[in-house]
Amino acid sequence: MSTHQPPLPQAAPSAPDWQAAPGGSYPGYVSPIPVVRTNLWHAITSEWTKIRSVRSTIWTLGVFVLLVIGIGLLAGAVVSNSSSSDDLSGSNALSLGFFGLLLGSMCIITLGVLTTASEYGTGMIRTTMVACPSRARVLAAKAIVFFAVAFVITLAASAFVAMTQVSMLSDVARTPSAGEWLKGTVGVSLYVALLGLLSLIIGSVIRHSAGAITIMIGAVLAPLVIALFMFSSSLEKVRTALFEYSIPNQLSVFYSNSLGSSGPSGWDPLWIILGVTAVAFAGAYVLLERRDV
């Protein structure tokens, strides 16, 4: 007769802490990561990480600095070696910084468009909107970060060129006043940064990099090109308005060089670009809320 006993039933293993307890309730779990309500500062931090980690930002800003400083110093060297005191009598050396900034503004325009339009082209905007569903906050953060970067870089480059040109042409040009220094450095830097911010907004509206860049370059160059071929006397007022309110002429106003005497003067170009940018920002916000990502 066999004495073999059947195995005793084993107790079921205890469920891990993360599994459901009887009755469908879950044990409490406290994440080691603090949960906080997101705000504008978090969006600004995210956009700052994006803009400084993208290689195209470094290349674009590097080319911008090279153009502003290189062309500015080249113009100062040529003028100082070939001009006499009579050639620059009554003018200041700061005006020679116009050439480098006019060409370098194309880099700021391109970077502004790419800041928004590139995310739509790559599909990265979906990830951005998932992380921050507030579209107005995303647009505001992009605008703040880009404007700060563009203004600081432009101010540093334009101030360096201005100081160098004044020292190079101290014998043939007069010393700029405090107001001219302010307009030739801070004023023109604000204008270029706002022009780049307008490009960022156009990139958000168009959502296509090549298209938005083409529109902005056309806005900069088209008025001058169109006005050059308006030979009819009946179009004289239109031609004059295109000349005086074109972006290159508004940029030259900060250096006291204007194509006309009846157009913008003083700080007028800054208020004009500020108003246009504010209207474009409001339009971009409305479209961003109404359109799908």
Side-chain angles (χ1 to χ4, degrees), residues 187-236:
V188 76
S189 299
L190 287 172
Y191 187 90
V192 172
L194 285 172
L195 182 61
L197 182 57
L198 179 61
S199 304
L200 182 148
I201 296 170
I202 296 300
S204 177
V205 173
I206 302 300
R207 298 184 174 186
H208 189 273
S209 299
I213 292 173
T214 303
I215 290 175
M216 288 305 303
I217 293 179
V220 173
L221 301 179
L224 281 178
V225 175
I226 294 173
L228 287 175
F229 295 94
M230 288 185 173
F231 303 111
S232 176
S233 59
S234 60
L235 296 174
E236 182 178 356

Side-chain angles (χ1 to χ4, degrees), residues 66-87:
L66 182 64
L67 288 174
V68 173
I69 295 179
I71 296 178
L73 296 184
L74 180 61
V78 171
V79 172
S80 63
N81 292 328
S82 59
S83 298
S84 63
S85 58
D86 296 334
D87 297 332

Side-chain angles (χ1 to χ4, degrees), residues 42-193:
H42 296 97
I44 291 175
T45 304
S46 174
E47 294 302 327
W48 166 245
T49 303
K50 289 180 187 177
I51 199 169
R52 67 183 175 87
S53 60
V54 177
R55 189 174 300 176
S56 60
T57 301
I58 307 300
W59 279 103
T60 306
L61 291 178
V63 173
F64 169 76
V65 173
L66 182 64
L67 288 174
V68 173
I69 295 179
I71 296 178
L73 296 184
L74 180 61
V78 171
V79 172
S80 63
N81 292 328
S82 59
S83 298
S84 63
S85 58
D86 296 334
D87 297 332
L88 295 177
S89 59
S91 61
N92 64 81
L94 297 180
S95 60
L96 297 178
F98 165 77
F99 309 108
L101 273 176
L102 178 60
L103 189 57
S105 63
M106 299 300 172
C107 298
I108 298 296
I109 289 174
T110 302
L111 182 60
V113 170
L114 293 178
T115 301
T116 51
S118 62
E119 288 201 36
Y120 287 98
T122 60
M124 185 65 185
I125 191 65
R126 298 184 181 90
T127 305
T128 301
M129 292 303 180
V130 169
C132 181
S134 176
R135 301 184 179 186
R137 186 187 302 170
V138 171
L139 184 60
K142 288 181 180 293
I144 292 172
V145 171
F146 175 82
F147 179 83
V149 171
F151 174 73
V152 171
I153 297 298
T154 306
L155 180 61
S158 61
F160 175 80
V161 171
M163 291 185 293
T164 306
Q165 288 176 340
V166 169
S167 63
M168 293 171 63
L169 301 173
S170 58
D171 297 333
V172 296
R174 65 177 177 84
T175 302
S177 63
E180 290 172 336
W181 272 106
L182 186 63
K183 289 174 59 179
T185 54
V186 177
V188 76
S189 299
L190 287 172
Y191 187 90
V192 172

